[in-house]
PDB file of all heavy atoms in Angstrom:
ATOM      1  N   THR R 263     -24.214  67.684 139.565  1.00 97.00           N
ATOM      2  CA  THR R 263     -24.004  69.128 139.588  1.00 97.00           C
ATOM      3  C   THR R 263     -23.688  69.662 138.196  1.00 97.00           C
ATOM      4  O   THR R 263     -24.152  70.737 137.807  1.00 97.00           O
ATOM      5  CB  THR R 263     -22.856  69.484 140.557  1.00 97.00           C
ATOM      6  OG1 THR R 263     -23.120  68.903 141.838  1.00 97.00           O
ATOM      7  CG2 THR R 263     -22.734  70.994 140.726  1.00 97.00           C
ATOM      8  N   ARG R 264     -22.921  68.889 137.425  1.00 96.00           N
ATOM      9  CA  ARG R 264     -22.598  69.293 136.062  1.00 96.00           C
ATOM     10  C   ARG R 264     -23.859  69.332 135.184  1.00 96.00           C
ATOM     11  O   ARG R 264     -24.015  70.217 134.343  1.00 96.00           O
ATOM     12  CB  ARG R 264     -21.563  68.344 135.461  1.00 96.00           C
ATOM     13  CG  ARG R 264     -20.974  68.840 134.144  1.00 96.00           C
ATOM     14  CD  ARG R 264     -20.005  67.844 133.548  1.00 96.00           C
ATOM     15  NE  ARG R 264     -18.881  67.616 134.425  1.00 96.00           N
ATOM     16  CZ  ARG R 264     -18.512  66.430 134.887  1.00 96.00           C
ATOM     17  NH1 ARG R 264     -19.196  65.362 134.558  1.00 96.00           N
ATOM     18  NH2 ARG R 264     -17.470  66.313 135.676  1.00 96.00           N
ATOM     19  N   ASN R 265     -24.760  68.395 135.399  1.00 96.00           N
ATOM     20  CA  ASN R 265     -26.015  68.396 134.645  1.00 96.00           C
ATOM     21  C   ASN R 265     -26.876  69.608 134.977  1.00 96.00           C
ATOM     22  O   ASN R 265     -27.537  70.175 134.096  1.00 96.00           O
ATOM     23  CB  ASN R 265     -26.793  67.105 134.929  1.00 96.00           C
ATOM     24  CG  ASN R 265     -26.176  65.897 134.250  1.00 96.00           C
ATOM     25  OD1 ASN R 265     -25.535  66.020 133.217  1.00 96.00           O
ATOM     26  ND2 ASN R 265     -26.350  64.725 134.835  1.00 96.00           N
ATOM     27  N   ILE R 266     -26.869  70.022 136.229  1.00 97.00           N
ATOM     28  CA  ILE R 266     -27.589  71.245 136.615  1.00 97.00           C
ATOM     29  C   ILE R 266     -26.985  72.447 135.904  1.00 97.00           C
ATOM     30  O   ILE R 266     -27.701  73.325 135.400  1.00 97.00           O
ATOM     31  CB  ILE R 266     -27.548  71.445 138.143  1.00 97.00           C
ATOM     32  CG1 ILE R 266     -28.337  70.348 138.848  1.00 97.00           C
ATOM     33  CG2 ILE R 266     -28.087  72.816 138.532  1.00 97.00           C
ATOM     34  CD1 ILE R 266     -29.817  70.343 138.553  1.00 97.00           C
ATOM     35  N   ALA R 267     -25.653  72.494 135.827  1.00 97.00           N
ATOM     36  CA  ALA R 267     -24.975  73.599 135.137  1.00 97.00           C
ATOM     37  C   ALA R 267     -25.379  73.642 133.670  1.00 97.00           C
ATOM     38  O   ALA R 267     -25.597  74.730 133.103  1.00 97.00           O
ATOM     39  CB  ALA R 267     -23.460  73.457 135.271  1.00 97.00           C
ATOM     40  N   LYS R 268     -25.498  72.481 133.033  1.00 95.00           N
ATOM     41  CA  LYS R 268     -25.910  72.434 131.632  1.00 95.00           C
ATOM     42  C   LYS R 268     -27.320  72.998 131.453  1.00 95.00           C
ATOM     43  O   LYS R 268     -27.606  73.718 130.485  1.00 95.00           O
ATOM     44  CB  LYS R 268     -25.847  71.000 131.115  1.00 95.00           C
ATOM     45  CG  LYS R 268     -24.438  70.463 130.944  1.00 95.00           C
ATOM     46  CD  LYS R 268     -24.463  69.028 130.433  1.00 95.00           C
ATOM     47  CE  LYS R 268     -23.049  68.479 130.262  1.00 95.00           C
ATOM     48  NZ  LYS R 268     -23.064  67.055 129.818  1.00 95.00           N
ATOM     49  N   LEU R 269     -28.213  72.686 132.387  1.00 97.00           N
ATOM     50  CA  LEU R 269     -29.580  73.199 132.300  1.00 97.00           C
ATOM     51  C   LEU R 269     -29.612  74.709 132.505  1.00 97.00           C
ATOM     52  O   LEU R 269     -30.407  75.413 131.879  1.00 97.00           O
ATOM     53  CB  LEU R 269     -30.470  72.497 133.327  1.00 97.00           C
ATOM     54  CG  LEU R 269     -30.735  71.012 133.070  1.00 97.00           C
ATOM     55  CD1 LEU R 269     -31.576  70.412 134.196  1.00 97.00           C
ATOM     56  CD2 LEU R 269     -31.443  70.806 131.733  1.00 97.00           C
ATOM     57  N   LEU R 270     -28.761  75.212 133.393  1.00 97.00           N
ATOM     58  CA  LEU R 270     -28.691  76.660 133.603  1.00 97.00           C
ATOM     59  C   LEU R 270     -28.226  77.363 132.329  1.00 97.00           C
ATOM     60  O   LEU R 270     -28.737  78.433 131.975  1.00 97.00           O
ATOM     61  CB  LEU R 270     -27.742  76.986 134.758  1.00 97.00           C
ATOM     62  CG  LEU R 270     -28.184  76.519 136.146  1.00 97.00           C
ATOM     63  CD1 LEU R 270     -27.117  76.854 137.185  1.00 97.00           C
ATOM     64  CD2 LEU R 270     -29.521  77.153 136.540  1.00 97.00           C
ATOM     65  N   MET R 271     -27.263  76.759 131.643  1.00 94.00           N
ATOM     66  CA  MET R 271     -26.808  77.323 130.370  1.00 94.00           C
ATOM     67  C   MET R 271     -27.930  77.270 129.337  1.00 94.00           C
ATOM     68  O   MET R 271     -28.100  78.196 128.541  1.00 94.00           O
ATOM     69  CB  MET R 271     -25.591  76.557 129.867  1.00 94.00           C
ATOM     70  CG  MET R 271     -24.325  76.795 130.664  1.00 94.00           C
ATOM     71  SD  MET R 271     -23.740  78.505 130.543  1.00 94.00           S
ATOM     72  CE  MET R 271     -23.312  78.571 128.805  1.00 94.00           C
ATOM     73  N   LYS R 272     -28.700  76.218 129.367  1.00 91.00           N
ATOM     74  CA  LYS R 272     -29.767  76.045 128.387  1.00 91.00           C
ATOM     75  C   LYS R 272     -30.868  77.079 128.556  1.00 91.00           C
ATOM     76  O   LYS R 272     -31.421  77.582 127.570  1.00 91.00           O
ATOM     77  CB  LYS R 272     -30.359  74.634 128.522  1.00 91.00           C
ATOM     78  CG  LYS R 272     -31.437  74.312 127.508  1.00 91.00           C
ATOM     79  CD  LYS R 272     -31.914  72.875 127.665  1.00 91.00           C
ATOM     80  CE  LYS R 272     -32.999  72.542 126.641  1.00 91.00           C
ATOM     81  NZ  LYS R 272     -33.466  71.143 126.771  1.00 91.00           N
ATOM     82  N   THR R 273     -31.193  77.428 129.805  1.00 92.00           N
ATOM     83  CA  THR R 273     -32.307  78.344 130.054  1.00 92.00           C
ATOM     84  C   THR R 273     -31.873  79.807 130.120  1.00 92.00           C
ATOM     85  O   THR R 273     -32.722  80.703 130.202  1.00 92.00           O
ATOM     86  CB  THR R 273     -33.013  77.970 131.371  1.00 92.00           C
ATOM     87  OG1 THR R 273     -34.241  78.696 131.477  1.00 92.00           O
ATOM     88  CG2 THR R 273     -32.148  78.305 132.573  1.00 92.00           C
ATOM     89  N   SER R 274     -30.573  80.078 130.070  1.00 91.00           N
ATOM     90  CA  SER R 274     -30.087  81.455 130.182  1.00 91.00           C
ATOM     91  C   SER R 274     -30.039  82.133 128.829  1.00 91.00           C
ATOM     92  O   SER R 274     -30.040  81.492 127.784  1.00 91.00           O
ATOM     93  CB  SER R 274     -28.702  81.481 130.824  1.00 91.00           C
ATOM     94  OG  SER R 274     -27.766  80.831 129.981  1.00 91.00           O
ATOM     95  N   ARG R 275     -29.986  83.474 128.858  1.00 87.00           N
ATOM     96  CA  ARG R 275     -29.798  84.248 127.641  1.00 87.00           C
ATOM     97  C   ARG R 275     -28.312  84.347 127.335  1.00 87.00           C
ATOM     98  O   ARG R 275     -27.473  84.162 128.218  1.00 87.00           O
ATOM     99  CB  ARG R 275     -30.382  85.661 127.813  1.00 87.00           C
ATOM    100  CG  ARG R 275     -31.855  85.679 128.151  1.00 87.00           C
ATOM    101  CD  ARG R 275     -32.386  87.111 128.307  1.00 87.00           C
ATOM    102  NE  ARG R 275     -31.616  87.914 129.219  1.00 87.00           N
ATOM    103  CZ  ARG R 275     -32.107  88.930 129.932  1.00 87.00           C
ATOM    104  NH1 ARG R 275     -33.387  89.238 129.836  1.00 87.00           N
ATOM    105  NH2 ARG R 275     -31.347  89.629 130.724  1.00 87.00           N
ATOM    106  N   ARG R 276     -27.998  84.667 126.089  1.00 84.00           N
ATOM    107  CA  ARG R 276     -26.588  84.791 125.715  1.00 84.00           C
ATOM    108  C   ARG R 276     -25.894  85.897 126.494  1.00 84.00           C
ATOM    109  O   ARG R 276     -24.691  85.818 126.763  1.00 84.00           O
ATOM    110  CB  ARG R 276     -26.469  85.075 124.214  1.00 84.00           C
ATOM    111  CG  ARG R 276     -26.821  83.883 123.328  1.00 84.00           C
ATOM    112  CD  ARG R 276     -26.434  84.168 121.891  1.00 84.00           C
ATOM    113  NE  ARG R 276     -26.707  83.036 121.015  1.00 84.00           N
ATOM    114  CZ  ARG R 276     -26.345  82.984 119.755  1.00 84.00           C
ATOM    115  NH1 ARG R 276     -25.699  83.994 119.203  1.00 84.00           N
ATOM    116  NH2 ARG R 276     -26.620  81.924 119.017  1.00 84.00           N
ATOM    117  N   SER R 277     -26.620  86.925 126.840  1.00 86.00           N
ATOM    118  CA  SER R 277     -26.027  88.054 127.555  1.00 86.00           C
ATOM    119  C   SER R 277     -25.851  87.768 129.040  1.00 86.00           C
ATOM    120  O   SER R 277     -25.167  88.515 129.739  1.00 86.00           O
ATOM    121  CB  SER R 277     -26.892  89.303 127.371  1.00 86.00           C
ATOM    122  OG  SER R 277     -28.218  89.061 127.807  1.00 86.00           O
ATOM    123  N   ASP R 278     -26.475  86.696 129.540  1.00 93.00           N
ATOM    124  CA  ASP R 278     -26.298  86.328 130.944  1.00 93.00           C
ATOM    125  C   ASP R 278     -24.896  85.764 131.160  1.00 93.00           C
ATOM    126  O   ASP R 278     -24.309  85.152 130.267  1.00 93.00           O
ATOM    127  CB  ASP R 278     -27.321  85.264 131.365  1.00 93.00           C
ATOM    128  CG  ASP R 278     -28.754  85.795 131.370  1.00 93.00           C
ATOM    129  OD1 ASP R 278     -28.928  87.027 131.444  1.00 93.00           O
ATOM    130  OD2 ASP R 278     -29.686  84.972 131.313  1.00 93.00           O
ATOM    131  N   VAL R 279     -24.389  85.965 132.365  1.00 96.00           N
ATOM    132  CA  VAL R 279     -23.104  85.364 132.744  1.00 96.00           C
ATOM    133  C   VAL R 279     -23.404  84.255 133.743  1.00 96.00           C
ATOM    134  O   VAL R 279     -23.750  84.507 134.891  1.00 96.00           O
ATOM    135  CB  VAL R 279     -22.152  86.404 133.370  1.00 96.00           C
ATOM    136  CG1 VAL R 279     -20.856  85.739 133.815  1.00 96.00           C
ATOM    137  CG2 VAL R 279     -21.858  87.523 132.374  1.00 96.00           C
ATOM    138  N   VAL R 280     -23.303  83.016 133.275  1.00 97.00           N
ATOM    139  CA  VAL R 280     -23.530  81.853 134.133  1.00 97.00           C
ATOM    140  C   VAL R 280     -22.168  81.376 134.626  1.00 97.00           C
ATOM    141  O   VAL R 280     -21.278  81.085 133.830  1.00 97.00           O
ATOM    142  CB  VAL R 280     -24.244  80.721 133.378  1.00 97.00           C
ATOM    143  CG1 VAL R 280     -24.515  79.546 134.307  1.00 97.00           C
ATOM    144  CG2 VAL R 280     -25.537  81.226 132.756  1.00 97.00           C
ATOM    145  N   ALA R 281     -22.000  81.305 135.956  1.00 97.00           N
ATOM    146  CA  ALA R 281     -20.681  81.001 136.510  1.00 97.00           C
ATOM    147  C   ALA R 281     -20.797  80.070 137.707  1.00 97.00           C
ATOM    148  O   ALA R 281     -21.843  79.999 138.370  1.00 97.00           O
ATOM    149  CB  ALA R 281     -19.971  82.294 136.920  1.00 97.00           C
ATOM    150  N   HIS R 282     -19.701  79.350 137.972  1.00 97.00           N
ATOM    151  CA  HIS R 282     -19.597  78.551 139.186  1.00 97.00           C
ATOM    152  C   HIS R 282     -18.969  79.425 140.266  1.00 97.00           C
ATOM    153  O   HIS R 282     -17.807  79.813 140.167  1.00 97.00           O
ATOM    154  CB  HIS R 282     -18.728  77.314 138.934  1.00 97.00           C
ATOM    155  CG  HIS R 282     -18.575  76.446 140.135  1.00 97.00           C
ATOM    156  ND1 HIS R 282     -17.376  75.911 140.520  1.00 97.00           N
ATOM    157  CD2 HIS R 282     -19.487  76.030 141.056  1.00 97.00           C
ATOM    158  CE1 HIS R 282     -17.540  75.199 141.611  1.00 97.00           C
ATOM    159  NE2 HIS R 282     -18.806  75.255 141.959  1.00 97.00           N
ATOM    160  N   TYR R 283     -19.766  79.733 141.296  1.00 97.00           N
ATOM    161  CA  TYR R 283     -19.288  80.611 142.361  1.00 97.00           C
ATOM    162  C   TYR R 283     -18.339  79.866 143.287  1.00 97.00           C
ATOM    163  O   TYR R 283     -17.442  80.452 143.877  1.00 97.00           O
ATOM    164  CB  TYR R 283     -20.477  81.164 143.141  1.00 97.00           C
ATOM    165  CG  TYR R 283     -20.088  82.119 144.242  1.00 97.00           C
ATOM    166  CD1 TYR R 283     -19.653  83.407 143.952  1.00 97.00           C
ATOM    167  CD2 TYR R 283     -20.139  81.718 145.577  1.00 97.00           C
ATOM    168  CE1 TYR R 283     -19.278  84.279 144.964  1.00 97.00           C
ATOM    169  CE2 TYR R 283     -19.778  82.587 146.595  1.00 97.00           C
ATOM    170  CZ  TYR R 283     -19.342  83.858 146.285  1.00 97.00           C
ATOM    171  OH  TYR R 283     -18.970  84.715 147.291  1.00 97.00           O
ATOM    172  N   GLY R 284     -18.531  78.557 143.390  1.00 95.00           N
ATOM    173  CA  GLY R 284     -17.688  77.741 144.255  1.00 95.00           C
ATOM    174  C   GLY R 284     -18.534  76.833 145.124  1.00 95.00           C
ATOM    175  O   GLY R 284     -19.663  77.166 145.493  1.00 95.00           O
ATOM    176  N   GLY R 285     -17.993  75.655 145.451  1.00 94.00           N
ATOM    177  CA  GLY R 285     -18.685  74.736 146.330  1.00 94.00           C
ATOM    178  C   GLY R 285     -20.000  74.232 145.766  1.00 94.00           C
ATOM    179  O   GLY R 285     -20.917  73.919 146.534  1.00 94.00           O
ATOM    180  N   GLY R 286     -20.099  74.137 144.449  1.00 96.00           N
ATOM    181  CA  GLY R 286     -21.333  73.664 143.842  1.00 96.00           C
ATOM    182  C   GLY R 286     -22.423  74.713 143.755  1.00 96.00           C
ATOM    183  O   GLY R 286     -23.551  74.413 143.369  1.00 96.00           O
TER     184      GLY R 286
END
Side-chain angles (χ1 to χ4, degrees):
T263 307
R264 191 183 298 124
N265 287 332
I266 293 296
K268 289 180 180 178
L269 292 177
L270 294 177
M271 289 295 294
K272 183 177 180 179
T273 191
S274 65
R275 301 180 308 208
R276 289 190 178 187
S277 57
D278 293 339
V279 177
V280 182
H282 180 224
Y283 182 74

